[in-house]
Amino acid sequence: MNEQNVRTPVSVIGLGQMGAALAAAFLEAGHPTTVWNRTPAKADPLVARGATRAATVAEAVAASGLVVVCVLDYAAVRTLLDPVAGSLRGRVLVNLTTGSPEQARAEAQWAADHGIGYLDGGVMTTPPGIGDSAHMILYAGGPELLARHRATLAVLGDPVDLGADAGLASLYDAGLLGLMWSVFGGWLHATALTGADGVAARDFTAIATRWLKTVSWFMTGYAEQIDEGEYPGADATIDVQVAAIGHLLHAGEERGVDGRLPRLHLELMRGAVEAGHGGDSYARLIEAFRK
């Protein structure tokens, strides 16, 4: 029998918005799914769709070789799983709870000490995006475990293997969220700027998203410079960009738009120029963040 006929049983512990979405995706893909939540009523919609309700965490663990946990924090993970560590031995635990790299590494060590296979994950979407392969779910800590269960975990989103260091999924997650907020902030500032002259947000955003493809091209080149520790300004130097950002600030001041975000960029760029790096690329500013 192939996987079209036999689906891996999965247990999902924690049925908040994200946990419920994870369980629903497993059910939709035909996986026998056991669910548990501290508040039993949260399992009702999933049970109505065919999930099996576990009365206890121990019962949920016993039902499947693949156990997915998604709860408030790592402290809650440990509180729930410490009492059933013996039952988890030989099973695979996929922890999709948000936490720090240090917490993930500690949890991986706890799992190893108890003979538990462990994958730490970072879900790079919101609950409505679960089940769509356009969205990534980052995994770290056990490449061989991910390879074994890739087909099952792929029903949640595109599985991205970050390697054996269990802390990397949380580290990437934090960094990518920071990138998201920075992009959102820049987009909102620009939308306020253009909107002051009557440009609709949807019209500006259609151009902005196209521009982001070019920005990603810049980033790819700058990443090579960062890894090499050399920042040639062959495309655009920092001192030229200092002049350009002045136009952005002036346009914002004329339109009553808050200029704190571009002033931060200007401060970083001026610092690099004053340090003698005005002829370098924008990638040089990573040294300011490293301080």
Side-chain angles (χ1 to χ4, degrees), residues 5 59 96 111 125 142 177 192 213 233 239 247 256 263 265:
N5 301 314
E59 188 177 312
L96 297 181
T125 185
L177 288 175
K213 295 178 182 177
D239 50 14
H247 303 310
R263 281 198 294 271
H265 296 304

Side-chain angles (χ1 to χ4, degrees), residues 56-287:
T56 63
V57 174
E59 188 177 312
V61 167
S64 311
L66 185 64
V67 178
V68 176
V69 59
C70 183
V71 291
L72 178 63
D73 53 30
Y74 277 69
V77 172
R78 188 66 64 86
T79 297
L80 291 171
L81 298 185
D82 250 339
V84 296
S87 299
L88 276 166
R89 182 177 294 276
R91 302 178 193 273
V92 175
L93 174 65
V94 181
N95 185 7
L96 297 181
T97 302
T98 301
S100 71
E102 290 70 27
Q103 289 174 317
R105 289 168 183 144
E107 204 66 18
Q109 186 59 58
W110 173 86
D113 291 343
H114 290 87
I116 303 164
Y118 184 80
L119 280 169
D120 202 88
V123 181
M124 305 313 301
T125 185
T126 54
I130 294 297
D132 185 343
S133 62
H135 303 299
M136 301 181 294
I137 299 186
L138 311 178
Y139 295 96
E144 72 290 347
L145 300 176
L146 179 57
R148 186 192 315 165
H149 293 287
R150 175 174 287 275
T152 300
L153 295 174
V155 307
L156 305 178
D158 183 27
V160 176
D161 181 13
L162 298 179
D165 180 350
L168 287 185
S170 293
L171 187 63
Y172 271 61
D173 179 48
L176 290 171
L177 288 175
L179 174 62
M180 178 189 73
W181 291 318
S182 294
V183 171
F184 281 170
W187 166 68
L188 289 171
H189 177 270
T191 301
L193 183 73
T194 55
D197 282 16
V199 177
R202 67 176 66 88
D203 293 337
F204 174 72
T205 301
I207 301 300
T209 53
R210 182 176 177 180
W211 169 237
L212 286 175
K213 295 178 182 177
T214 302
V215 172
S216 69
W217 177 73
F218 291 141
M219 290 168 59
T220 300
Y222 286 161
E224 293 183 5
Q225 294 185 8
I226 291 167
D227 286 341
E228 293 170 2
E230 300 288 340
Y231 310 100
D235 55 350
T237 59
I238 296 173
D239 50 14
V240 169
Q241 295 189 59
V242 166
I245 202 169
H247 303 310
L248 172 60
L249 284 164
H250 174 73
E253 289 167 0
E254 289 293 309
R255 289 158 179 78
V257 175
D258 190 311
R260 284 176 292 175
L261 187 57
R263 281 198 294 271
L264 171 60
H265 296 304
L266 179 58
E267 178 186 338
L268 293 171
M269 287 189 276
R270 279 179 172 167
V273 171
E274 290 168 3
H277 302 302
D280 289 354
S281 77
Y282 197 86
R284 161 68 70 175
L285 296 186
I286 193 170
E287 303 298 347

